[in-house]
Amino acid sequence: MSFRIPLNGDIGAISFMGSRREGLASSYKFKVGLDLRKNDKRTWSSAGIPCCSMQQSPPPAWPGRAVVEPGHTSWDSPKPIAIVGSTGSIGTQTLDIVAENPEKFRVVALAAGSNIDLLAQQVKAFKPELVAIRNGSLIGQLKEALADADYKPVIIAGEEGVIEVACHPDAATVVTGIVGCAGLKPTVAAIEAGKDIALANKETLIAGGPFVLPLAHKHNVKILPADSEHSAIFQCIQGLSEGALRRIILTASGGAFRDWPAERLKEVKVADALKHPNWSMGKKITVDSATLFNKGLEVIEAHYLFGAEYDDIDIVIHPQSIIHSMIETQDSSVLAQLGWPDMRLPILYTLSWPDRIYCSETTWPRLDLCKLGSLTFKAPDNMKYPSMDLAYAAGRAGGTMTGVLSAANEKAVELFIDKKISYLDIFKVVEETCNAHRNELVVQPTLDEIIHYDLWAREFAASVQPSSGITPVLV
């Protein structure tokens, strides 16, 4: 079977040879040469990064089930948490939850990037013991902003400061809200310190899974997903018996072009891709929703989180975005988690698990299915969303290939938003970057190798010159 996506100008077409559900678990071939076959041996690459022999996949964070450990007791005092990335979307929503549930949670440490004004407000409101600012040149401004505060935390700067927040001795759970590979080192440090992870940093597993998961098992640390789709799956596997999980079904809104024919995609402008049909988000995630790369990356993350084989992870378009994802059990029962689109619910569950916390109807509206009316579903179109096949292929290759895919996509989206490449060139750039990486793939990378290839992928993606008539990117 061959899926083809029409591309601009001289590129022609990308051809995906075979279907992901036709047993091609070890090989995907693309017309322009991306061949992600698993080789038996890896050698030293030209970049000087050592590659290693093919090994089994790392153990999943949750092997298809979630069972509360014997002897678990609920916190009889506010649970101490640290937040890495406190001024971002995940961080601010986490603090909203803490503010509404002061008897359940307390903040012991905060880390942020450069938003001094907001960080100062957070310090005054939540009185953490430790605060870190990644941009060390701004530490003086932060101290000045807190000069009139009646409470003064310890303030440290730089990446080491962020790592100190992640390792705060009193924290039971660390919320990882930093975007990109910048969140990897603090997350690894928190795991090594024995902290449970409320996971909102996708690179932790998509790029770092082969390294991070064995580390989490070694330190008996729980990785609790804070994004809505994986939280839905996590909620659905509660109490399953061993081996009961049969299939994971990830739901997708379909993005800006869910109702467009594939032939129209060559006409896409940046403004078109930023018109999400359901809600307002940042530019990067909105474009990822349009290309469906967000869902392809979630497939990889689901594999690492729950141990499902790639043939057992499906994507379905669900325009209403009420069912956040589903699982199928061995006896064909399908379990789903439903709710209004609100990131606070999955964040709350990472903090409270295995307990459930009462939420008022005022700030947490209850779902009314009768008012909603109907829920609809359709299969995603591979011609419209070639990102799916790229993601499944990268996932099957494993190792550093998944991090390269993610980093290349991030760079390609940046180039598209800056109008340096066309919309369809996003797929081309990602494909070319993965293709270039296949001879250097490291199956069981170290943390340094993961970070190295993340940077390499961004640089390579920036250098790709799509043959679509767009002005080449200068690097």
Side-chain angles (χ1 to χ4, degrees):
M1 185 179 297
S2 177
F3 303 101
R4 296 172 66 84
I5 175 78
L7 299 177
N8 283 350
D10 297 329
I11 296 181
I14 301 173
S15 178
F16 301 97
M17 305 305 294
S19 164
R20 65 180 178 81
R21 299 196 64 81
E22 290 179 346
L24 297 182
S26 62
S27 177
Y28 260 68
K29 290 185 179 180
F30 302 85
K31 184 176 180 181
V32 295
L34 177 58
D35 183 355
L36 300 182
R37 286 174 293 186
K38 292 182 178 179
N39 297 324
D40 292 331
K41 297 180 179 179
R42 301 294 182 203
T43 58
W44 284 82
S45 72
S46 60
I49 301 298
C51 301
C52 41
S53 301
M54 183 62 60
Q55 302 282 342
Q56 289 185 334
S57 296
W62 299 91
R65 62 201 296 255
V67 179
V68 181
E69 294 178 352
H72 167 79
T73 57
S74 300
W75 285 81
D76 56 7
S77 60
K79 184 178 183 180
I81 65 172
I83 304 173
V84 177
S86 68
T87 57
S89 175
I90 295 297
T92 55
Q93 291 180 89
T94 302
L95 290 173
D96 287 344
I97 292 170
V98 174
E100 187 166 336
N101 298 277
E103 76 288 354
K104 298 291 185 182
F105 309 109
R106 66 183 178 92
V107 176
V108 296
L110 295 175
S114 58
N115 191 335
I116 297 298
D117 292 339
L118 181 54
L119 179 58
Q121 294 174 28
Q122 293 174 345
V123 171
K124 293 175 181 178
F126 295 96
K127 296 179 171 55
E129 300 165 10
L130 178 65
V131 174
I133 183 80
R134 178 177 286 274
N135 188 340
S137 65
L138 299 176
I139 194 168
Q141 292 184 37
L142 179 59
K143 290 181 177 180
E144 184 178 347
L146 295 173
D148 62 346
D150 58 0
Y151 171 80
K152 300 291 194 301
V154 175
I155 301 175
I156 48 181
E159 183 179 55
E160 291 304 314
V162 177
I163 290 174
E164 286 296 319
V165 165
C167 298
H168 192 284
D170 293 342
T173 297
V174 178
V175 180
T176 59
I178 289 181
V179 176
C181 271
L184 260 177
K185 287 186 177 180
T187 304
V188 167
I191 291 172
E192 291 176 336
K195 313 298 182 184
D196 286 343
I197 305 298
L199 183 66
N201 171 271
K202 63 182 177 63
E203 278 76 16
T204 296
L205 293 183
I206 293 171
F211 176 82
V212 168
L213 287 173
L215 193 69
H217 282 273
K218 175 182 177 181
H219 293 279
N220 194 30
V221 161
K222 305 298 184 187
I223 298 179
L224 301 145
D227 65 303
S228 59
E229 291 82 3
H230 297 103
S231 176
I233 298 163
F234 182 62
Q235 292 180 61
C236 289
I237 66 171
Q238 300 301 306
L240 286 188
S241 59
E242 186 172 355
L245 179 64
R246 182 175 184 176
R247 183 168 58 122
I248 286 172
I249 305 167
L250 291 166
T251 55
S253 68
F257 307 126
R258 69 187 181 202
D259 298 321
W260 286 39
E263 293 74 17
R264 281 193 61 195
L265 295 182
K266 61 185 178 182
E267 306 168 7
V268 167
K269 306 299 182 187
V270 173
D272 299 323
L274 296 179
K275 295 177 182 176
H276 196 283
N278 289 9
W279 48 74
S280 176
M281 304 182 292
K283 290 183 178 180
K284 165 65 166 57
I285 187 60
T286 305
V287 175
D288 278 352
S289 181
T291 62
L292 222 67
F293 259 115
N294 67 327
K295 213 53 53 176
L297 294 171
E298 286 172 13
V299 166
I300 295 167
E301 195 171 0
H303 166 76
Y304 282 130
L305 271 171
F306 307 111
E309 296 296 331
Y310 285 102
D311 279 347
D312 298 325
I313 306 174
D314 289 340
I315 298 171
V316 62
I317 304 296
H318 170 48
Q320 295 81 18
S321 300
I322 295 298
I323 295 179
H324 299 301
S325 278
M326 298 171 272
I327 67 166
E328 180 185 11
T329 59
Q330 294 291 351
D331 58 7
S332 78
S333 290
V334 175
L335 309 179
Q337 188 266 328
L338 288 72
W340 297 117
D342 188 336
M343 277 298 297
R344 293 176 304 166
L345 177 57
I347 294 170
L348 174 63
Y349 197 54
T350 66
L351 300 178
S352 68
W353 183 84
D355 299 326
R356 294 279 188 175
I357 292 178
Y358 173 81
C359 297
S360 69
E361 293 184 45
T362 303
T363 54
W364 302 73
R366 296 167 73 179
L367 182 63
D368 187 336
L369 291 175
C370 295
K371 182 183 296 184
L372 185 66
S374 63
L375 303 176
T376 59
F377 309 89
K378 64 179 180 179
D381 183 350
N382 291 70
M383 293 180 65
K384 189 187 298 185
Y385 304 114
S387 51
M388 294 188 300
D389 291 274
L390 285 166
Y392 276 95
R396 289 186 170 102
T400 50
M401 187 63 78
T402 52
V404 164
L405 175 93
S406 177
N409 172 65
E410 189 169 327
K411 187 62 181 182
V413 170
E414 177 187 323
L415 296 174
F416 167 67
I417 291 172
D418 291 342
K419 300 181 181 179
K420 294 180 178 179
I421 64 173
S422 75
Y423 173 78
L424 290 174
D425 285 336
I426 294 173
F427 307 105
K428 174 71 171 181
V429 168
V430 174
E431 177 192 2
E432 289 284 357
T433 306
C434 290
N435 184 53
H437 179 60
R438 61 193 174 102
N439 290 328
E440 297 186 14
L441 185 148
V442 185
V443 178
Q444 288 191 324
T446 64
L447 183 60
D448 287 342
E449 288 170 330
I450 290 166
I451 294 171
H452 166 84
Y453 281 112
D454 175 88
L455 295 172
W456 171 88
R458 295 170 194 274
E459 293 175 0
F460 187 92
S463 73
V464 173
Q465 299 181 7
S467 55
S468 59
I470 302 298
T471 302
V473 179
L474 300 178
V475 293

